[in-house]
Amino acid sequence: MSISLAKVIPFGRSLAEYQAMFSLSPEDQQLNILDCGGGPASFNGELTAQGGHVTTVDPLYQFSATQIKQRFQASLDDVMAQIEATPENWCWSFHPNSADLKQNRIKVMERFTADFSQGKASSRYLEASLPQLPFKDGQFDLALCSHFLFLYSDLLSPEFHLQAVQELCRIAKEVRIFPLRTLASQPSTDVEPVCRMLRSQGLHPEIVQVEYELQKGGNEMLRFSIPSSPT
Ligand SMILES: C[S@@+](CC[C@H](N)C(=O)[O-])C[C@H]1O[C@@H](n2cnc3c(N)ncnc32)[C@H](O)[C@@H]1O
Protein backbone atom coordinates (compact mmCIF):
# COMPACT_ATOMS: atom_id res chain seq x y z
CA MET A 1 0.00 0.00 0.00
CA SER A 2 1.55 3.32 -0.93
CA ILE A 3 0.97 6.28 1.33
CA SER A 4 1.40 10.00 1.02
CA LEU A 5 3.36 11.65 3.82
CA ALA A 6 0.79 14.45 3.83
CA LYS A 7 -1.92 11.97 4.96
CA VAL A 8 0.03 10.62 7.95
CA ILE A 9 0.33 12.33 11.29
CA PRO A 10 3.57 10.77 12.44
CA PHE A 11 3.17 10.70 16.20
CA GLY A 12 5.16 8.05 18.04
CA ARG A 13 5.12 6.51 21.47
CA SER A 14 7.90 5.59 23.88
CA LEU A 15 9.06 2.28 25.36
CA ALA A 16 7.30 3.18 28.63
CA GLU A 17 4.05 3.66 26.70
CA TYR A 18 4.45 0.35 24.83
CA GLN A 19 5.14 -1.39 28.16
CA ALA A 20 1.88 0.02 29.57
CA MET A 21 -0.27 -0.37 26.42
CA PHE A 22 0.74 -4.00 25.94
CA SER A 23 1.42 -5.03 29.57
CA LEU A 24 4.93 -6.06 28.50
CA SER A 25 6.69 -8.12 31.17
CA PRO A 26 10.50 -8.26 31.44
CA GLU A 27 10.29 -11.73 29.81
CA ASP A 28 8.14 -10.37 26.93
CA GLN A 29 10.82 -7.76 26.27
CA GLN A 30 13.42 -10.47 25.62
CA LEU A 31 11.34 -12.03 22.83
CA ASN A 32 11.80 -11.59 19.10
CA ILE A 33 9.26 -8.78 18.61
CA LEU A 34 7.62 -7.26 15.53
CA ASP A 35 6.25 -3.72 15.90
CA CYS A 36 3.76 -3.39 13.05
CA GLY A 37 2.95 0.17 11.99
CA GLY A 38 5.62 1.47 14.36
CA GLY A 39 5.90 4.89 12.69
CA PRO A 40 8.19 7.23 14.61
CA ALA A 41 7.86 5.39 17.93
CA SER A 42 11.07 5.15 19.97
CA PHE A 43 10.11 1.63 21.17
CA ASN A 44 12.57 -0.10 18.81
CA GLY A 45 15.49 2.23 19.57
CA GLU A 46 14.95 2.21 23.33
CA LEU A 47 14.46 -1.56 23.66
CA THR A 48 17.38 -2.32 21.30
CA ALA A 49 19.60 -0.14 23.52
CA GLN A 50 18.56 -2.38 26.44
CA GLY A 51 19.47 -5.56 24.53
CA GLY A 52 16.04 -6.31 23.01
CA HIS A 53 15.28 -7.69 19.53
CA VAL A 54 12.72 -5.60 17.66
CA THR A 55 11.88 -5.30 13.96
CA THR A 56 9.59 -2.42 13.05
CA VAL A 57 7.65 -2.16 9.80
CA ASP A 58 5.82 0.83 8.38
CA PRO A 59 5.18 2.23 4.88
CA LEU A 60 6.41 5.53 6.35
CA TYR A 61 9.96 4.22 6.15
CA GLN A 62 10.06 5.04 2.43
CA PHE A 63 10.74 8.59 3.70
CA SER A 64 13.86 9.93 5.40
CA ALA A 65 14.03 10.77 9.11
CA THR A 66 14.25 14.44 8.17
CA GLN A 67 11.05 14.24 6.08
CA ILE A 68 9.21 12.36 8.87
CA LYS A 69 10.34 14.91 11.45
CA GLN A 70 9.29 17.84 9.24
CA ARG A 71 5.82 16.32 8.87
CA PHE A 72 5.64 15.84 12.65
CA GLN A 73 6.65 19.45 13.30
CA ALA A 74 4.11 20.71 10.75
CA SER A 75 1.23 18.84 12.42
CA LEU A 76 2.14 19.04 16.13
CA ASP A 77 0.40 22.29 17.05
CA ASP A 78 -2.80 21.36 15.14
CA VAL A 79 -3.05 17.98 16.85
CA MET A 80 -2.41 19.49 20.29
CA ALA A 81 -5.09 22.14 19.61
CA GLN A 82 -7.59 19.39 18.66
CA ILE A 83 -6.82 17.55 21.91
CA GLU A 84 -7.23 20.71 23.98
CA ALA A 85 -10.55 21.46 22.23
CA THR A 86 -12.03 18.07 23.22
CA PRO A 87 -11.20 17.65 26.95
CA GLU A 88 -14.07 15.16 27.39
CA ASN A 89 -12.21 12.64 25.17
CA TRP A 90 -8.95 12.44 27.14
CA CYS A 91 -7.76 10.86 30.34
CA TRP A 92 -4.74 12.40 32.05
CA SER A 93 -3.45 9.46 34.04
CA PHE A 94 -0.35 8.18 32.22
CA HIS A 95 0.39 11.67 30.89
CA PRO A 96 -0.52 14.25 33.54
CA ASN A 97 -1.58 16.95 31.05
CA SER A 98 -1.42 18.03 27.41
CA ALA A 99 1.85 19.97 27.91
CA ASP A 100 3.51 16.78 29.20
CA LEU A 101 2.07 14.81 26.26
CA LYS A 102 3.50 17.33 23.79
CA GLN A 103 6.97 17.19 25.40
CA ASN A 104 6.79 13.38 25.37
CA ARG A 105 5.94 13.30 21.64
CA ILE A 106 8.84 15.70 20.86
CA LYS A 107 11.28 13.57 22.89
CA VAL A 108 10.07 10.36 21.18
CA MET A 109 10.55 11.96 17.74
CA GLU A 110 14.10 12.99 18.68
CA ARG A 111 14.93 9.46 19.86
CA PHE A 112 13.42 7.93 16.72
CA THR A 113 15.31 10.31 14.43
CA ALA A 114 18.60 9.58 16.19
CA ASP A 115 18.07 5.81 15.76
CA PHE A 116 16.46 5.59 12.32
CA SER A 117 19.47 5.59 9.91
CA GLN A 118 21.42 3.05 11.92
CA GLY A 119 18.31 0.92 12.52
CA LYS A 120 17.37 0.98 8.84
CA ALA A 121 20.90 -0.07 7.85
CA SER A 122 20.66 -3.06 10.20
CA SER A 123 17.10 -3.92 8.99
CA ARG A 124 15.47 -3.07 12.34
CA TYR A 125 13.24 -0.66 10.40
CA LEU A 126 11.71 -2.04 7.20
CA GLU A 127 9.35 -0.42 4.72
CA ALA A 128 6.40 -2.83 4.58
CA SER A 129 2.62 -2.68 4.91
CA LEU A 130 -0.20 -4.79 6.15
CA PRO A 131 -1.96 -6.84 4.93
CA GLN A 132 1.14 -8.53 3.43
CA LEU A 133 4.42 -8.63 5.29
CA PRO A 134 7.76 -10.00 4.04
CA PHE A 135 8.29 -12.54 6.84
CA LYS A 136 8.27 -16.30 7.25
CA ASP A 137 5.51 -18.19 9.05
CA GLY A 138 5.99 -17.95 12.83
CA GLN A 139 9.10 -15.75 12.48
CA PHE A 140 8.27 -13.60 15.53
CA ASP A 141 7.44 -14.57 19.11
CA LEU A 142 5.25 -11.49 19.56
CA ALA A 143 3.66 -9.01 17.13
CA LEU A 144 2.51 -5.64 18.49
CA CYS A 145 0.28 -3.20 16.67
CA SER A 146 -0.24 0.16 18.36
CA HIS A 147 -2.58 2.88 17.13
CA PHE A 148 -3.23 1.52 13.64
CA LEU A 149 -5.69 -1.43 13.46
CA PHE A 150 -9.08 -0.60 15.05
CA LEU A 151 -8.05 3.05 15.60
CA TYR A 152 -8.53 3.77 11.89
CA SER A 153 -11.72 1.70 11.54
CA ASP A 154 -13.41 4.67 9.87
CA LEU A 155 -10.77 4.62 7.11
CA LEU A 156 -9.76 0.95 6.82
CA SER A 157 -12.36 -1.59 5.70
CA PRO A 158 -13.56 -4.60 7.72
CA GLU A 159 -11.94 -6.83 5.05
CA PHE A 160 -8.62 -5.05 5.57
CA HIS A 161 -8.83 -5.71 9.31
CA LEU A 162 -9.53 -9.42 8.79
CA GLN A 163 -6.70 -9.82 6.27
CA ALA A 164 -4.27 -7.84 8.42
CA VAL A 165 -4.99 -9.86 11.56
CA GLN A 166 -4.74 -13.10 9.55
CA GLU A 167 -1.29 -11.97 8.37
CA LEU A 168 -0.18 -11.21 11.94
CA CYS A 169 -1.35 -14.72 12.93
CA ARG A 170 0.80 -16.17 10.14
CA ILE A 171 4.05 -14.50 11.17
CA ALA A 172 3.83 -14.43 14.98
CA LYS A 173 3.17 -16.81 17.86
CA GLU A 174 1.31 -14.15 19.83
CA VAL A 175 -0.39 -10.91 18.77
CA ARG A 176 -1.37 -7.84 20.83
CA ILE A 177 -3.31 -4.90 19.39
CA PHE A 178 -4.04 -1.55 21.14
CA PRO A 179 -6.33 0.41 21.36
CA LEU A 180 -9.75 -1.03 20.49
CA ARG A 181 -11.29 2.42 19.94
CA THR A 182 -11.45 4.62 16.86
CA LEU A 183 -9.99 8.09 16.42
CA ALA A 184 -13.45 9.40 17.38
CA SER A 185 -13.07 7.54 20.73
CA GLN A 186 -15.84 5.07 19.85
CA PRO A 187 -15.48 1.29 20.30
CA SER A 188 -14.27 -0.11 16.95
CA THR A 189 -16.90 -2.19 15.16
CA ASP A 190 -14.07 -4.31 13.70
CA VAL A 191 -13.15 -5.93 17.02
CA GLU A 192 -16.07 -8.37 17.13
CA PRO A 193 -15.70 -9.68 13.51
CA VAL A 194 -11.97 -10.13 14.07
CA CYS A 195 -12.63 -12.07 17.32
CA ARG A 196 -15.26 -14.17 15.52
CA MET A 197 -12.76 -15.05 12.77
CA LEU A 198 -10.12 -15.98 15.35
CA ARG A 199 -12.56 -18.14 17.33
CA SER A 200 -13.63 -19.90 14.11
CA GLN A 201 -9.96 -20.89 13.74
CA GLY A 202 -9.88 -22.38 17.23
CA LEU A 203 -8.01 -19.42 18.77
CA HIS A 204 -8.94 -17.70 22.03
CA PRO A 205 -8.85 -13.91 21.65
CA GLU A 206 -8.96 -12.05 24.96
CA ILE A 207 -9.74 -8.40 25.64
CA VAL A 208 -7.47 -7.36 28.47
CA GLN A 209 -7.52 -4.17 30.53
CA VAL A 210 -4.16 -2.37 30.59
CA GLU A 211 -2.64 0.47 32.60
CA TYR A 212 -2.35 2.91 29.70
CA GLU A 213 -5.25 5.27 29.04
CA LEU A 214 -5.08 8.48 27.00
CA GLN A 215 -8.27 8.22 24.94
CA LYS A 216 -10.97 8.09 27.61
CA GLY A 217 -12.09 4.45 27.88
CA GLY A 218 -9.23 3.37 25.62
CA ASN A 219 -7.50 1.09 28.12
CA GLU A 220 -8.06 -2.32 26.51
CA MET A 221 -5.93 -4.47 24.23
CA LEU A 222 -6.77 -7.54 22.18
CA ARG A 223 -4.37 -10.45 22.64
CA PHE A 224 -4.25 -14.00 21.32
CA SER A 225 -1.73 -16.80 20.88
CA ILE A 226 -1.29 -19.02 17.85
CA PRO A 227 -0.32 -22.57 18.75
CA SER A 228 2.54 -23.92 16.62
CA SER A 229 1.37 -26.42 14.03
CA PRO A 230 2.53 -30.03 14.52
CA THR A 231 5.61 -30.87 12.47
C1 LIG B 1 -0.63 6.63 14.62
S1 LIG B 1 0.81 5.87 13.97
C2 LIG B 1 1.27 4.80 15.31
C3 LIG B 1 2.77 4.67 15.45
C4 LIG B 1 3.24 3.75 16.57
N1 LIG B 1 2.71 2.40 16.45
C5 LIG B 1 2.88 4.28 17.92
O1 LIG B 1 1.92 3.83 18.54
O2 LIG B 1 3.57 5.21 18.36
C6 LIG B 1 0.10 4.72 12.78
C7 LIG B 1 1.16 4.19 11.83
O3 LIG B 1 0.57 3.20 10.97
C8 LIG B 1 1.28 3.27 9.76
N2 LIG B 1 0.58 2.58 8.65
C9 LIG B 1 -0.24 3.10 7.71
N3 LIG B 1 -0.65 2.14 6.85
C10 LIG B 1 -0.08 0.98 7.26
C11 LIG B 1 -0.12 -0.38 6.78
N4 LIG B 1 -0.88 -0.72 5.73
N5 LIG B 1 0.59 -1.31 7.45
C12 LIG B 1 1.32 -0.98 8.53
N6 LIG B 1 1.39 0.29 9.04
C13 LIG B 1 0.70 1.25 8.42
C14 LIG B 1 1.42 4.76 9.51
O4 LIG B 1 2.43 5.05 8.56
C15 LIG B 1 1.75 5.27 10.92
O5 LIG B 1 3.14 5.37 11.12
Side-chain angles (χ1 to χ4, degrees), residues 1-5 7-14 17-18 21-22 35-43 56-61 63 68 105 108 128-133 144-149 151-152 156 160 164 178-179 183:
M1 184 176 95
S2 71
I3 57 162
S4 146
L5 190 55
K7 289 198 177 145
V8 178
I9 299 177
F11 269 38
R13 290 158 190 82
S14 64
E17 290 179 280
Y18 270 65
M21 293 185 296
F22 294 113
D35 182 16
C36 190
S42 57
F43 171 66
T56 305
V57 292
D58 198 301
L60 193 64
Y61 301 155
F63 302 107
I68 296 170
R105 295 293 178 258
V108 165
S129 308
L130 285 170
Q132 277 183 317
L133 297 176
L144 306 176
C145 186
S146 154
H147 291 84
F148 176 56
L149 292 173
L151 185 69
Y152 290 95
L156 303 169
F160 178 88
F178 178 94
L183 277 178

Side-chain angles (χ1 to χ4, degrees), residues 104-124:
N104 170 289
R105 295 293 178 258
I106 292 170
K107 197 166 158 190
V108 165
M109 178 55 71
E110 280 164 6
R111 282 183 171 151
F112 167 79
T113 330
D115 184 51
F116 186 59
S117 298
Q118 193 190 351
K120 207 170 174 188
S122 56
S123 302
R124 283 191 290 112

